[in-house]
Amino acid sequence: MGGEHSRLSDCEMYEGKQVEIVEKTGEETGLKMKTMDCDWMIPTNQVAHHTEEYENELLVLRRGQTFTVKATFLRKLSPEFDQIYLEFTTGPKPQLINNTKIRCPLVTELESGVWGMKVVNEEEKEVEEVKKAEEEGGEDEVIKKTVHVVTFEVNIPPKTVVGKYETFIEFSTKLEDGSTSKSRDHEPELYIIFNPWCVDDEVYLEDEDERQEYCLADTGIIYRGSANRGPRPKYWNFGQFEAKILDCVLSLLDKDKRMANNPNKWMSRRANPVWVSRVIPYMINELVLVGNWSGDYSGGTSPTTWNGSVKILTEHFETQRPVSFGQCWVFSGVVTSALRALGIPTRSVTNFASAHDTEGSMTIDKYIDEDGDEVDGLSSDSVWNFHVWNESWMKRPDLPQGYDGWQAVDSTPQEESLGLYQTGPAPLTAIKNGEVYLGFETGFVFAEVNADRVTWIVTKDRNDGNYVVSKKAAQYRRAVGKLISTKQVGRDARNDLTDDYKFKEGSDQERAAFSKAHSFGSALDYHKGFLNLKEEGEGITIDIDAVPQTFHGDDITTNVNLTNDTPAPVTVNVSAVLYSTSYTGQRQRFIKRIKYTDVKLEGQGKVTQAFGAGFKDYHGKLSKHQSFRLTVAVKVQETNEVFADDIDFDLENKDVVSIEVAEEEMVVGQTYTVKVKFENPLPVKMGGIEITLEGPGLSYPVTKPISRTLEAGESLEEEFEVKPTKKGLRTLLVDVDSKQIQDLKASKKIPVILSS
């Protein structure tokens, strides 16, 4: 039999009674106990359990489903005298009471939701056993034996604790003198994970196409960009089936510091997808990935360089150290990989113009002076160009009815909850209705998609130098939570989820949801006097044209439109200030200011002023995301009133990277050459170039530094070798970075077949 054979202690409990373990030979009892072999039927079981893609030597099973195992015995089993148990144990202190130790008995019929195994087939088989010659040079003796092969069907309940299990098979036989003899064999370990195919599992997902997308797809799309220019797809290698990924994810559950205080309690919670989907994102930001929004990525990898999760999770697992560096889409990609590896349907979701409410007020407050310059230190609120989190599908038996389905979870460390950086799972239904008291951190997610943006004009107090709010410059009720996006099922296209998170902007339902959430918030005192003031017809309306599609290397142009909402003519001074920003909305470098003085506006009149900035203005001042904020402040000379507005936008990269493969399809196990070509898209030299290539089932991430520099418009070609390990339609991903420009991407789908 596979594994070692060991005798138990001389006294042991059997059927509630203490019995003596007696070793007797088959000649004495007429019964032979020892098995010859045990077959876990890994290929058959993993196809049935949709786990054949896992690159693990051990068996991966899904709970809520049966699996098949074959055992070969030297004699026929006797129902009258024999008992067989399969034993499964997981965790540091396995116990029956918390279901981390399982004693699976032999039964006549399997019962739903209960561990059990039954015999489904018995057959005799003749085998040959070679007996080595006793003397050197003698002939080995071939002995033919008749063995009995028994096929068992084993039932795994749908609420089984997920994890890696040690396994044992145990035989008990009543001997003729009434005593009991036992043998126990240690079998190979196996994994048990969640099962979205099982209707009784809390992660059950009815639609097969959705199961293929949210559980089995190992590549996908994460959207980035801005609300101004719209979502831009970034292909991502989730790679949840790659070697070491499942072990890495399970080790994260083991390292949760709460385990040390009460291991039995926390081990039993691994049966609950609500708890697992809360812990994994926290552990990823705690142990796996170092967040960095500073713009300085020395000593690590720039977040824009990553094409997938595999290298991050593998490096962490091998070194047991956090990997540097990540930002929100990287955290989200790793969470998708981890939760899909465990069998929880999960997707990456992008919210454009995403609010970060640090005060719980449901408003995002920005403070500027009368010249339009932002005043630092008055608020930590911000609106990110985009923010990426995750959704996982599960039932919520911990909540009232109506909150099953997609739940928002977030690994990006933003705000602490209960002393930890953790967000979710928050039901989308509760988020949409403003029910911020249901689920975990639901209020924070609600604010991300539905907060109001408020710009305040502040002046310095002459006596103490403190800033005082003098006016609400603008309030935007439709400024956050735009174009909420994820990949469509089965297609490389965008699925808009905005209606899942919020009612139509400005509708009675949307305002009612905001009021409900706001009533549970912590509004600042001065909000009460300003937030409900009339907005239209009060002075000057500023409308900044959307910046047209602009590529890195091109000039930036837009127009500022001013409208006098009053019947009286006025004279205004206009200040337009352009800063580079991080994608999280934080101001980075000053780029350009344009002032227009003594601008005449007739009553109800309109004036348009141009604004522009060239490549030389912004070159060397950009964040990795090439984002900007243009703020316009207008001061009315007659009244000294100040009005303000701003717009966020970013530059795009030209499509200058391509992947070339000579073959129309590849064969598993054969080596191929892939050519990566790219062109310098900037009007300056390009140096410090690195090319990274990867693809699940095609190539582990490989990075190749390029020593030469490229002149403006000059091209380069590099070759890589790939050796497919899996059949199917596979995706190859390439990233090109340099000192001057980053995040140049390309992807190519390649059919892979088995050799004929």
Side-chain angles (χ1 to χ4, degrees):
M1 176 161 195
E4 63 181 70
H5 177 76
S6 60
R7 181 186 173 194
L8 301 183
S9 58
D10 290 336
C11 274
E12 193 160 316
M13 296 300 296
Y14 180 75
E15 293 186 345
K17 300 178 181 179
Q18 191 172 12
V19 298
E20 185 179 0
I21 306 302
V22 181
E23 290 187 347
K24 293 192 176 183
T25 66
E27 286 73 20
E28 295 176 49
T29 64
L31 299 172
K32 293 184 180 180
M33 284 295 303
K34 187 171 178 59
T35 60
M36 291 178 62
D37 187 32
C38 189
D39 180 6
W40 289 108
M41 302 181 67
I42 290 178
T44 299
N45 284 317
Q46 296 204 154
V47 169
H49 285 247
H50 308 279
T51 59
E52 67 271 25
E53 289 285 309
Y54 284 88
E55 293 185 4
N56 296 81
E57 295 181 358
L58 305 177
L59 177 60
V60 182
L61 299 169
R62 297 187 188 272
R63 66 186 196 174
Q65 191 170 337
T66 62
F67 70 97
T68 304
V69 60
K70 284 185 177 181
T72 303
F73 302 93
L74 290 176
R75 63 162 176 81
K76 186 176 177 64
L77 292 179
S78 170
E80 181 179 358
F81 296 103
D82 300 336
Q83 284 197 350
I84 304 175
Y85 285 91
L86 281 178
E87 184 172 296
F88 305 90
T89 62
T90 188
K93 297 179 180 179
Q95 294 185 2
L96 294 171
I97 194 170
N98 67 352
N99 297 315
T100 56
K101 179 179 181 180
I102 307 298
R103 298 273 292 169
C104 180
L106 184 63
V107 296
T108 55
E109 292 296 332
L110 299 179
E111 183 180 348
S112 177
V114 179
W115 280 96
M117 61 176 175
K118 73 172 185 177
V119 176
V120 294
N121 188 57
E122 291 186 74
E123 58 181 340
E124 289 186 353
K125 181 180 178 182
E126 190 173 85
V127 297
E128 293 182 348
E129 184 178 289
V130 178
K131 183 178 180 181
K132 292 291 185 181
E134 294 181 0
E135 297 180 2
E136 187 176 351
E139 292 187 0
D140 295 339
E141 181 182 1
V142 177
I143 303 174
K144 292 186 177 181
K145 290 185 177 181
T146 299
V147 297
H148 297 262
V149 180
V150 182
T151 303
F152 299 97
E153 184 180 9
V154 184
N155 187 52
I156 310 173
K159 296 188 183 298
T160 298
V161 171
V162 301
K164 189 175 186 179
Y165 282 80
E166 286 195 85
T167 64
F168 306 86
I169 189 163
E170 183 180 296
F171 300 85
S172 300
T173 297
K174 290 184 179 179
L175 304 178
E176 294 173 352
D177 61 1
S179 61
T180 300
S181 178
K182 282 187 180 182
S183 67
R184 177 179 170 92
D185 283 301
H186 193 178
E187 296 296 325
E189 295 172 302
L190 56 79
Y191 305 89
I192 298 177
I193 61 175
F194 294 101
N195 190 354
W197 282 265
C198 173
V199 69
D200 294 321
D201 196 311
E202 290 173 347
V203 302
Y204 172 67
L205 189 57
E206 184 177 6
D207 187 88
E208 176 60 24
D209 290 339
E210 291 186 344
R211 292 193 290 250
Q212 293 291 324
E213 182 70 51
Y214 302 132
C215 304
L216 300 185
D218 55 7
T219 58
I221 291 173
I222 299 176
Y223 286 92
R224 300 182 299 169
S226 66
N228 176 263
R229 286 299 311 149
R232 294 197 295 272
K234 173 184 174 64
Y235 287 89
W236 193 263
N237 173 15
F238 296 119
Q240 68 267 32
F241 305 123
E242 301 293 296
K244 301 181 181 179
I245 300 301
L246 182 55
D247 281 316
C248 176
V249 176
L250 290 173
S251 73
L252 295 178
L253 293 176
D254 292 337
K255 294 172 186 172
D256 183 355
K257 56 189 176 185
R258 292 167 290 194
M259 273 277 290
N261 299 327
N262 193 338
N264 291 328
K265 174 184 177 181
W266 293 106
M267 281 300 303
S268 65
R269 288 191 174 184
R270 293 191 189 182
N272 183 355
V274 174
W275 180 82
V276 172
S277 66
R278 183 164 175 78
V279 170
I280 287 295
Y282 158 65
M283 295 305 295
I284 286 170
N285 76 58
E286 179 76 5
L287 295 180
V288 176
L289 198 54
V290 179
N292 185 345
W293 288 264
S294 70
D296 178 8
Y297 307 116
S298 55
T301 299
S302 168
T304 57
T305 298
W306 300 114
N307 277 333
S309 311
V310 174
K311 189 173 182 180
I312 295 169
L313 289 168
T314 302
E315 183 178 328
H316 165 71
F317 188 60
E318 291 176 347
T319 65
Q320 295 299 298
R321 292 194 299 269
V323 178
S324 301
F325 295 104
Q327 291 177 355
C328 69
W329 73 94
V330 185
F331 282 99
S332 174
V334 175
V335 169
T336 296
S337 304
L339 293 180
R340 285 186 186 179
L342 294 175
I344 299 177
T346 302
R347 60 192 185 187
S348 291
V349 173
T350 305
N351 177 41
F352 291 92
S354 186
H356 182 184
D357 177 17
T358 61
E359 299 160 337
S361 62
M362 303 300 164
T363 62
I364 305 303
D365 301 301
K366 185 175 76 170
Y367 302 87
I368 64 173
D369 63 22
E370 294 183 351
D371 291 325
D373 288 321
E374 294 182 32
V375 179
D376 295 328
L378 297 185
S379 175
S380 298
D381 290 353
S382 60
V383 176
W384 297 21
N385 289 356
F386 67 91
H387 179 49
V388 189
W389 58 71
N390 297 85
E391 290 175 6
S392 294
W393 179 274
M394 66 194 68
K395 294 178 182 177
R396 290 303 300 266
D398 57 318
L399 298 178
Q401 288 187 355
Y403 299 94
D404 296 344
W406 289 112
Q407 316 284 320
V409 298
D410 195 346
S411 181
T412 304
Q414 297 182 90
E415 298 296 321
E416 286 190 352
S417 176
L418 302 176
L420 305 174
Y421 284 108
Q422 52 188 356
T423 300
L428 265 60
T429 302
I431 297 168
K432 185 172 184 176
N433 292 326
E435 297 167 323
V436 298
Y437 43 83
L438 292 173
F440 297 100
E441 294 78 48
T442 303
F444 185 80
V445 183
F446 177 89
E448 289 181 298
V449 301
N450 223 351
D452 285 0
R453 286 181 64 182
V454 184
T455 300
W456 306 93
I457 304 295
V458 295
T459 57
K460 261 190 178 182
D461 188 293
R462 293 181 178 179
N463 296 320
D464 59 17
N466 292 325
Y467 283 98
V468 177
V469 173
S470 62
K471 183 180 184 298
K472 181 190 73 173
Q475 180 175 356
Y476 309 98
R477 294 194 171 106
R478 306 178 187 183
V480 304
K482 304 290 187 181
L483 302 169
I484 304 175
S485 304
T486 193
K487 178 184 176 297
Q488 283 189 19
V489 173
R491 297 181 61 219
D492 288 352
R494 190 179 74 89
N495 181 19
D496 194 295
L497 303 177
T498 309
D499 289 344
D500 292 347
Y501 280 86
K502 57 199 296 186
F503 295 102
K504 294 297 182 184
E505 294 282 12
S507 67
D508 292 343
Q509 290 172 305
E510 186 267 337
R511 283 292 96 187
F514 179 85
S515 297
K516 183 185 295 183
H518 190 266
S519 69
F520 286 90
S522 54
L524 300 173
D525 289 341
Y526 57 81
H527 283 197
K528 300 172 185 177
F530 287 111
L531 284 184
N532 294 319
L533 291 177
K534 185 178 179 181
E535 295 181 74
E536 300 298 330
E538 65 177 12
I540 305 298
T541 296
I542 304 169
D543 182 18
I544 307 172
D545 286 349
V547 177
Q549 183 181 39
T550 306
F551 294 105
H552 191 167
D554 296 344
D555 294 342
I556 298 167
T557 60
T558 188
N559 290 312
V560 178
N561 306 295
L562 308 178
T563 301
N564 183 359
D565 299 320
T566 69
V570 295
T571 302
V572 299
N573 297 331
V574 182
S575 177
V577 186
L578 183 66
Y579 278 89
S580 64
T581 64
S582 67
Y583 83 97
T584 62
Q586 301 301 315
R587 188 177 62 185
Q588 300 287 304
R589 301 276 300 277
F590 170 81
I591 293 175
K592 190 173 185 179
R593 183 195 302 271
I594 296 179
K595 286 187 175 183
Y596 300 96
T597 58
D598 300 328
V599 178
K600 305 296 184 182
L601 269 173
E602 298 297 328
Q604 310 296 332
K606 181 177 179 179
V607 170
T608 297
Q609 302 287 348
F611 182 90
F615 173 74
K616 291 183 178 179
D617 292 321
Y618 65 76
H619 178 54
K621 299 178 181 179
L622 300 184
S623 69
K624 300 291 184 182
H625 295 277
Q626 306 170 168
S627 302
F628 299 85
R629 178 178 301 122
L630 175 62
T631 300
V632 177
V634 177
K635 186 173 184 178
V636 180
Q637 293 183 6
E638 289 81 358
T639 64
N640 286 328
E641 286 189 290
V642 178
F643 301 88
D645 196 5
D646 59 47
I647 186 172
D648 292 301
F649 63 94
D650 57 2
L651 301 179
E652 298 183 25
N653 285 333
K654 295 177 182 177
D655 187 12
V656 294
V657 183
S658 63
I659 304 171
E660 294 185 3
V661 180
E663 296 78 11
E664 292 185 0
E665 61 184 18
M666 294 183 178
V667 178
V668 170
Q670 295 187 15
T671 301
Y672 298 87
T673 298
V674 172
K675 293 181 180 179
V676 176
K677 295 182 178 180
F678 69 95
E679 176 187 326
N680 179 3
L682 301 180
V684 295
K685 287 183 180 181
M686 186 176 174
I689 302 167
E690 288 188 338
I691 308 173
T692 301
L693 176 144
E694 66 182 280
L698 290 171
S699 173
Y700 186 77
V702 177
T703 298
K704 182 180 290 189
I706 307 299
S707 58
R708 58 175 289 198
T709 60
L710 290 183
E711 298 291 337
E714 187 180 2
S715 298
L716 180 69
E717 179 180 302
E718 284 294 322
E719 293 185 351
F720 292 79
E721 285 190 348
V722 300
K723 187 176 183 180
T725 58
K726 297 178 182 178
K727 67 176 182 177
L729 188 62
R730 300 292 165 182
T731 304
L732 198 60
L733 305 175
V734 168
D735 170 82
V736 178
D737 288 335
S738 73
K739 291 180 179 179
Q740 294 74 26
I741 187 170
Q742 296 80 37
D743 209 18
L744 300 171
K745 305 288 187 184
S747 65
K748 187 176 184 65
K749 293 189 180 294
I750 301 173
V752 179
I753 62 173
L754 296 174
S755 58
S756 56

